[in-house]
Amino acid sequence: MSIVRPFGVLLQCSYRRIVGRSFTIGTKMNGEPFGRKIENGEDGGRSDSKRALVAITDGSAIRQAANLLESGQVIALPTDTVYGLACSANDPVAIQKLYAIKGRHEQKPVAICVADFDDLRYWGQADHLPDALLQQLLPGAVTIVVRKSLHLDNPFLNPGIEKIGIRIPDFQFIRDVSRAFRYPIALTSANKSACQSTLNVSEFRCLWGSLGAVFDGGQLGQSEEQRAASTVIDLSEAGSYQLIRAGVAAEHTKAVVERFNFFPTDRGSDCNTNGIK
């Protein structure tokens, strides 16, 4: 399996099982052997599994990611905020895998990722949101909460909750994957539940063995503030909004929606944001 590593250190990587332990065997650019032992349990208890670590610059990465989503796998990939775990939002089995891998309580909702405004309006009820408003927020680090449309019919996707958080990340790779996949992608942060969100793939190495592939976009940002992830705002009602999570773009988001005559409200929300990217 060909892999592009940061700085070109490793050109190829394979995994061997030797007397109960796994070793990473590769080749340095100067042709000398390279190896690093992977301790038992380092990859989430599945040290004998072959994990695909794929650079997003790989020409086949988008198609690989879409194929894995189509086959019901959970993958990890970068966004414009933090790394995320992703699967098909309309696949009941895949959603259950996602929750199991993250160790997430089934009553805590996840958001979905789409590529474009038309997708947002198809999977969510957003006719009351002007295009001009959406264009000033998206693509970007904002999750817009609206009511689900009838097309989003997976009973395991946020059961008992009539709303859905929808993301259009300002990150070309995940949007290209979404276009290639053609269906909404369930998305949550790539970390165990209650742990901090992650800015590079090594920070969630304990999950690798449970994933179909890890798509490596390198380090995401240089500041810890980026771990705050996306701003989550409930725009399900015309003329009002509720800021559910401040995230990284709260002030800009509030300023935009208020210019379009959406004003804050104290109404409750059924959207728990813990784990939404």
mmCIF file of all heavy atoms in Angstrom, residues 92-121:
data_model
loop_
_atom_site.group_PDB
_atom_site.id
_atom_site.type_symbol
_atom_site.label_atom_id
_atom_site.label_comp_id
_atom_site.label_asym_id
_atom_site.label_seq_id
_atom_site.Cartn_x
_atom_site.Cartn_y
_atom_site.Cartn_z
ATOM 1 N N PRO A 92 -27.855 2.754 9.095
ATOM 2 C CA PRO A 92 -28.050 2.454 10.521
ATOM 3 C C PRO A 92 -26.879 1.721 11.159
ATOM 4 O O PRO A 92 -26.483 2.031 12.287
ATOM 5 C CB PRO A 92 -29.317 1.589 10.525
ATOM 6 C CG PRO A 92 -30.051 1.979 9.291
ATOM 7 C CD PRO A 92 -28.984 2.259 8.274
ATOM 8 N N VAL A 93 -26.297 0.755 10.452
ATOM 9 C CA VAL A 93 -25.191 -0.015 11.015
ATOM 10 C C VAL A 93 -23.954 0.870 11.175
ATOM 11 O O VAL A 93 -23.257 0.818 12.195
ATOM 12 C CB VAL A 93 -24.876 -1.242 10.137
ATOM 13 C CG1 VAL A 93 -23.637 -1.971 10.658
ATOM 14 C CG2 VAL A 93 -26.068 -2.193 10.109
ATOM 15 N N ALA A 94 -23.687 1.711 10.181
ATOM 16 C CA ALA A 94 -22.517 2.590 10.247
ATOM 17 C C ALA A 94 -22.634 3.575 11.405
ATOM 18 O O ALA A 94 -21.651 3.845 12.106
ATOM 19 C CB ALA A 94 -22.353 3.339 8.927
ATOM 20 N N ILE A 95 -23.826 4.108 11.624
ATOM 21 C CA ILE A 95 -24.027 5.043 12.739
ATOM 22 C C ILE A 95 -23.752 4.351 14.071
ATOM 23 O O ILE A 95 -23.108 4.913 14.970
ATOM 24 C CB ILE A 95 -25.457 5.612 12.717
ATOM 25 C CG1 ILE A 95 -25.609 6.616 11.576
ATOM 26 C CG2 ILE A 95 -25.802 6.275 14.045
ATOM 27 C CD1 ILE A 95 -24.876 7.921 11.786
ATOM 28 N N GLN A 96 -24.212 3.116 14.210
ATOM 29 C CA GLN A 96 -23.961 2.387 15.452
ATOM 30 C C GLN A 96 -22.467 2.123 15.638
ATOM 31 O O GLN A 96 -21.950 2.180 16.761
ATOM 32 C CB GLN A 96 -24.755 1.078 15.437
ATOM 33 C CG GLN A 96 -26.265 1.303 15.527
ATOM 34 C CD GLN A 96 -27.051 0.009 15.417
ATOM 35 O OE1 GLN A 96 -27.198 -0.736 16.384
ATOM 36 N NE2 GLN A 96 -27.547 -0.274 14.227
ATOM 37 N N LYS A 97 -21.754 1.839 14.547
ATOM 38 C CA LYS A 97 -20.295 1.680 14.623
ATOM 39 C C LYS A 97 -19.643 2.970 15.106
ATOM 40 O O LYS A 97 -18.736 2.956 15.943
ATOM 41 C CB LYS A 97 -19.723 1.333 13.236
ATOM 42 C CG LYS A 97 -19.931 -0.075 12.761
ATOM 43 C CD LYS A 97 -19.219 -0.219 11.413
ATOM 44 C CE LYS A 97 -19.502 -1.548 10.760
ATOM 45 N NZ LYS A 97 -18.873 -1.623 9.414
ATOM 46 N N LEU A 98 -20.089 4.089 14.548
ATOM 47 C CA LEU A 98 -19.524 5.389 14.907
ATOM 48 C C LEU A 98 -19.650 5.639 16.408
ATOM 49 O O LEU A 98 -18.689 6.039 17.076
ATOM 50 C CB LEU A 98 -20.240 6.487 14.122
ATOM 51 C CG LEU A 98 -19.776 7.927 14.364
ATOM 52 C CD1 LEU A 98 -18.406 8.155 13.758
ATOM 53 C CD2 LEU A 98 -20.785 8.916 13.774
ATOM 54 N N TYR A 99 -20.832 5.392 16.950
ATOM 55 C CA TYR A 99 -21.057 5.601 18.378
ATOM 56 C C TYR A 99 -20.202 4.647 19.215
ATOM 57 O O TYR A 99 -19.671 5.025 20.260
ATOM 58 C CB TYR A 99 -22.536 5.421 18.708
ATOM 59 C CG TYR A 99 -23.351 6.678 18.529
ATOM 60 C CD1 TYR A 99 -23.733 7.120 17.268
ATOM 61 C CD2 TYR A 99 -23.739 7.441 19.626
ATOM 62 C CE1 TYR A 99 -24.472 8.274 17.096
ATOM 63 C CE2 TYR A 99 -24.481 8.597 19.475
ATOM 64 C CZ TYR A 99 -24.846 9.012 18.205
ATOM 65 O OH TYR A 99 -25.571 10.164 18.047
ATOM 66 N N ALA A 100 -20.076 3.403 18.758
ATOM 67 C CA ALA A 100 -19.294 2.422 19.512
ATOM 68 C C ALA A 100 -17.813 2.796 19.537
ATOM 69 O O ALA A 100 -17.151 2.704 20.575
ATOM 70 C CB ALA A 100 -19.485 1.034 18.903
ATOM 71 N N ILE A 101 -17.277 3.223 18.396
ATOM 72 C CA ILE A 101 -15.860 3.585 18.318
ATOM 73 C C ILE A 101 -15.558 4.780 19.217
ATOM 74 O O ILE A 101 -14.550 4.808 19.929
ATOM 75 C CB ILE A 101 -15.468 3.894 16.858
ATOM 76 C CG1 ILE A 101 -15.490 2.607 16.028
ATOM 77 C CG2 ILE A 101 -14.089 4.553 16.788
ATOM 78 C CD1 ILE A 101 -15.391 2.837 14.535
ATOM 79 N N LYS A 102 -16.434 5.748 19.211
ATOM 80 C CA LYS A 102 -16.214 6.956 20.001
ATOM 81 C C LYS A 102 -16.539 6.744 21.479
ATOM 82 O O LYS A 102 -16.075 7.489 22.338
ATOM 83 C CB LYS A 102 -17.060 8.107 19.437
ATOM 84 C CG LYS A 102 -16.744 9.461 20.058
ATOM 85 C CD LYS A 102 -17.526 10.569 19.381
ATOM 86 C CE LYS A 102 -17.300 11.901 20.078
ATOM 87 N NZ LYS A 102 -15.958 12.454 19.827
ATOM 88 N N GLY A 103 -17.334 5.709 21.782
ATOM 89 C CA GLY A 103 -17.781 5.515 23.150
ATOM 90 C C GLY A 103 -18.793 6.570 23.544
ATOM 91 O O GLY A 103 -18.822 7.046 24.677
ATOM 92 N N ARG A 104 -19.641 6.907 22.599
ATOM 93 C CA ARG A 104 -20.580 8.016 22.751
ATOM 94 C C ARG A 104 -21.959 7.501 23.148
ATOM 95 O O ARG A 104 -22.425 6.486 22.630
ATOM 96 C CB ARG A 104 -20.669 8.780 21.432
ATOM 97 C CG ARG A 104 -21.502 10.056 21.458
ATOM 98 C CD ARG A 104 -21.323 10.780 20.123
ATOM 99 N NE ARG A 104 -22.085 12.006 20.022
ATOM 100 C CZ ARG A 104 -21.721 13.161 20.548
ATOM 101 N NH1 ARG A 104 -20.604 13.235 21.245
ATOM 102 N NH2 ARG A 104 -22.448 14.249 20.396
ATOM 103 N N HIS A 105 -22.624 8.212 24.058
ATOM 104 C CA HIS A 105 -23.972 7.829 24.463
ATOM 105 C C HIS A 105 -24.919 8.033 23.286
ATOM 106 O O HIS A 105 -24.855 9.048 22.586
ATOM 107 C CB HIS A 105 -24.428 8.667 25.654
ATOM 108 C CG HIS A 105 -25.653 8.120 26.322
ATOM 109 N ND1 HIS A 105 -26.920 8.267 25.791
ATOM 110 C CD2 HIS A 105 -25.804 7.412 27.470
ATOM 111 C CE1 HIS A 105 -27.803 7.685 26.585
ATOM 112 N NE2 HIS A 105 -27.151 7.157 27.610
ATOM 113 N N GLU A 106 -25.800 7.070 23.072
ATOM 114 C CA GLU A 106 -26.671 7.094 21.895
ATOM 115 C C GLU A 106 -27.629 8.279 21.878
ATOM 116 O O GLU A 106 -28.164 8.642 20.824
ATOM 117 C CB GLU A 106 -27.473 5.796 21.813
ATOM 118 C CG GLU A 106 -28.399 5.565 22.995
ATOM 119 C CD GLU A 106 -29.120 4.234 22.921
ATOM 120 O OE1 GLU A 106 -28.790 3.428 22.046
ATOM 121 O OE2 GLU A 106 -30.021 4.015 23.745
ATOM 122 N N GLN A 107 -27.864 8.907 23.025
ATOM 123 C CA GLN A 107 -28.776 10.048 23.066
ATOM 124 C C GLN A 107 -28.084 11.375 22.745
ATOM 125 O O GLN A 107 -28.746 12.411 22.661
ATOM 126 C CB GLN A 107 -29.458 10.124 24.430
ATOM 127 C CG GLN A 107 -30.418 8.971 24.688
ATOM 128 C CD GLN A 107 -31.140 9.096 26.016
ATOM 129 O OE1 GLN A 107 -30.782 9.904 26.860
ATOM 130 N NE2 GLN A 107 -32.177 8.288 26.195
ATOM 131 N N LYS A 108 -26.759 11.345 22.565
ATOM 132 C CA LYS A 108 -26.044 12.558 22.187
ATOM 133 C C LYS A 108 -25.978 12.630 20.665
ATOM 134 O O LYS A 108 -25.451 11.727 20.016
ATOM 135 C CB LYS A 108 -24.637 12.561 22.786
ATOM 136 C CG LYS A 108 -24.627 12.710 24.301
ATOM 137 C CD LYS A 108 -23.206 12.788 24.833
ATOM 138 C CE LYS A 108 -23.195 13.013 26.336
ATOM 139 N NZ LYS A 108 -21.813 13.081 26.876
ATOM 140 N N PRO A 109 -26.501 13.691 20.070
ATOM 141 C CA PRO A 109 -26.586 13.751 18.608
ATOM 142 C C PRO A 109 -25.246 14.013 17.938
ATOM 143 O O PRO A 109 -24.295 14.480 18.570
ATOM 144 C CB PRO A 109 -27.544 14.924 18.370
ATOM 145 C CG PRO A 109 -27.358 15.803 19.563
ATOM 146 C CD PRO A 109 -27.114 14.870 20.716
ATOM 147 N N VAL A 110 -25.189 13.693 16.658
ATOM 148 C CA VAL A 110 -24.053 14.057 15.819
ATOM 149 C C VAL A 110 -24.568 14.947 14.692
ATOM 150 O O VAL A 110 -25.756 14.939 14.357
ATOM 151 C CB VAL A 110 -23.335 12.819 15.233
ATOM 152 C CG1 VAL A 110 -22.711 11.992 16.340
ATOM 153 C CG2 VAL A 110 -24.287 11.975 14.395
ATOM 154 N N ALA A 111 -23.667 15.715 14.111
ATOM 155 C CA ALA A 111 -24.008 16.573 12.982
ATOM 156 C C ALA A 111 -23.816 15.809 11.678
ATOM 157 O O ALA A 111 -23.299 14.682 11.660
ATOM 158 C CB ALA A 111 -23.136 17.823 13.000
ATOM 159 N N ILE A 112 -24.234 16.420 10.577
ATOM 160 C CA ILE A 112 -23.928 15.872 9.261
ATOM 161 C C ILE A 112 -23.140 16.907 8.469
ATOM 162 O O ILE A 112 -23.228 18.112 8.717
ATOM 163 C CB ILE A 112 -25.188 15.449 8.476
ATOM 164 C CG1 ILE A 112 -26.095 16.654 8.187
ATOM 165 C CG2 ILE A 112 -25.931 14.353 9.215
ATOM 166 C CD1 ILE A 112 -27.238 16.337 7.225
ATOM 167 N N CYS A 113 -22.362 16.415 7.528
ATOM 168 C CA CYS A 113 -21.575 17.262 6.637
ATOM 169 C C CYS A 113 -22.100 17.100 5.218
ATOM 170 O O CYS A 113 -22.363 15.979 4.769
ATOM 171 C CB CYS A 113 -20.106 16.855 6.708
ATOM 172 S SG CYS A 113 -19.064 17.586 5.433
ATOM 173 N N VAL A 114 -22.269 18.223 4.526
ATOM 174 C CA VAL A 114 -22.667 18.204 3.119
ATOM 175 C C VAL A 114 -21.728 19.119 2.349
ATOM 176 O O VAL A 114 -20.924 19.853 2.933
ATOM 177 C CB VAL A 114 -24.137 18.641 2.939
ATOM 178 C CG1 VAL A 114 -25.071 17.682 3.665
ATOM 179 C CG2 VAL A 114 -24.351 20.072 3.422
ATOM 180 N N ALA A 115 -21.844 19.096 1.021
ATOM 181 C CA ALA A 115 -20.897 19.840 0.194
ATOM 182 C C ALA A 115 -21.372 21.235 -0.170
ATOM 183 O O ALA A 115 -20.567 22.160 -0.282
ATOM 184 C CB ALA A 115 -20.596 19.054 -1.083
ATOM 185 N N ASP A 116 -22.689 21.405 -0.352
ATOM 186 C CA ASP A 116 -23.191 22.650 -0.926
ATOM 187 C C ASP A 116 -24.527 23.057 -0.312
ATOM 188 O O ASP A 116 -25.167 22.276 0.398
ATOM 189 C CB ASP A 116 -23.353 22.488 -2.446
ATOM 190 C CG ASP A 116 -22.046 22.145 -3.140
ATOM 191 O OD1 ASP A 116 -21.153 23.000 -3.163
ATOM 192 O OD2 ASP A 116 -21.926 21.005 -3.638
ATOM 193 N N PHE A 117 -24.971 24.281 -0.623
ATOM 194 C CA PHE A 117 -26.224 24.803 -0.087
ATOM 195 C C PHE A 117 -27.424 23.957 -0.512
ATOM 196 O O PHE A 117 -28.362 23.763 0.267
ATOM 197 C CB PHE A 117 -26.448 26.252 -0.536
ATOM 198 C CG PHE A 117 -25.424 27.213 -0.004
ATOM 199 C CD1 PHE A 117 -25.056 28.324 -0.737
ATOM 200 C CD2 PHE A 117 -24.826 27.011 1.227
ATOM 201 C CE1 PHE A 117 -24.115 29.215 -0.248
ATOM 202 C CE2 PHE A 117 -23.885 27.893 1.729
ATOM 203 C CZ PHE A 117 -23.525 28.999 0.984
ATOM 204 N N ASP A 118 -27.425 23.476 -1.749
ATOM 205 C CA ASP A 118 -28.541 22.639 -2.203
ATOM 206 C C ASP A 118 -28.670 21.393 -1.337
ATOM 207 O O ASP A 118 -29.781 20.942 -1.031
ATOM 208 C CB ASP A 118 -28.355 22.239 -3.669
ATOM 209 C CG ASP A 118 -28.589 23.400 -4.630
ATOM 210 O OD1 ASP A 118 -29.140 24.430 -4.192
ATOM 211 O OD2 ASP A 118 -28.213 23.270 -5.809
ATOM 212 N N ASP A 119 -27.524 20.828 -0.939
ATOM 213 C CA ASP A 119 -27.544 19.648 -0.069
ATOM 214 C C ASP A 119 -28.109 20.009 1.298
ATOM 215 O O ASP A 119 -28.891 19.250 1.887
ATOM 216 C CB ASP A 119 -26.128 19.093 0.105
ATOM 217 C CG ASP A 119 -25.494 18.688 -1.205
ATOM 218 O OD1 ASP A 119 -26.217 18.182 -2.076
ATOM 219 O OD2 ASP A 119 -24.281 18.886 -1.357
ATOM 220 N N LEU A 120 -27.706 21.161 1.823
ATOM 221 C CA LEU A 120 -28.207 21.603 3.129
ATOM 222 C C LEU A 120 -29.727 21.716 3.105
ATOM 223 O O LEU A 120 -30.416 21.271 4.032
ATOM 224 C CB LEU A 120 -27.567 22.938 3.498
ATOM 225 C CG LEU A 120 -27.854 23.515 4.889
ATOM 226 C CD1 LEU A 120 -26.685 24.384 5.355
ATOM 227 C CD2 LEU A 120 -29.133 24.346 4.919
ATOM 228 N N ARG A 121 -30.261 22.284 2.030
ATOM 229 C CA ARG A 121 -31.716 22.461 1.933
ATOM 230 C C ARG A 121 -32.443 21.144 1.660
ATOM 231 O O ARG A 121 -33.628 21.019 1.978
ATOM 232 C CB ARG A 121 -32.036 23.480 0.837
ATOM 233 C CG ARG A 121 -31.515 24.889 1.135
ATOM 234 C CD ARG A 121 -32.031 25.882 0.102
ATOM 235 N NE ARG A 121 -31.464 27.208 0.277
ATOM 236 C CZ ARG A 121 -31.869 28.084 1.198
ATOM 237 N NH1 ARG A 121 -32.839 27.745 2.027
ATOM 238 N NH2 ARG A 121 -31.308 29.274 1.297
#
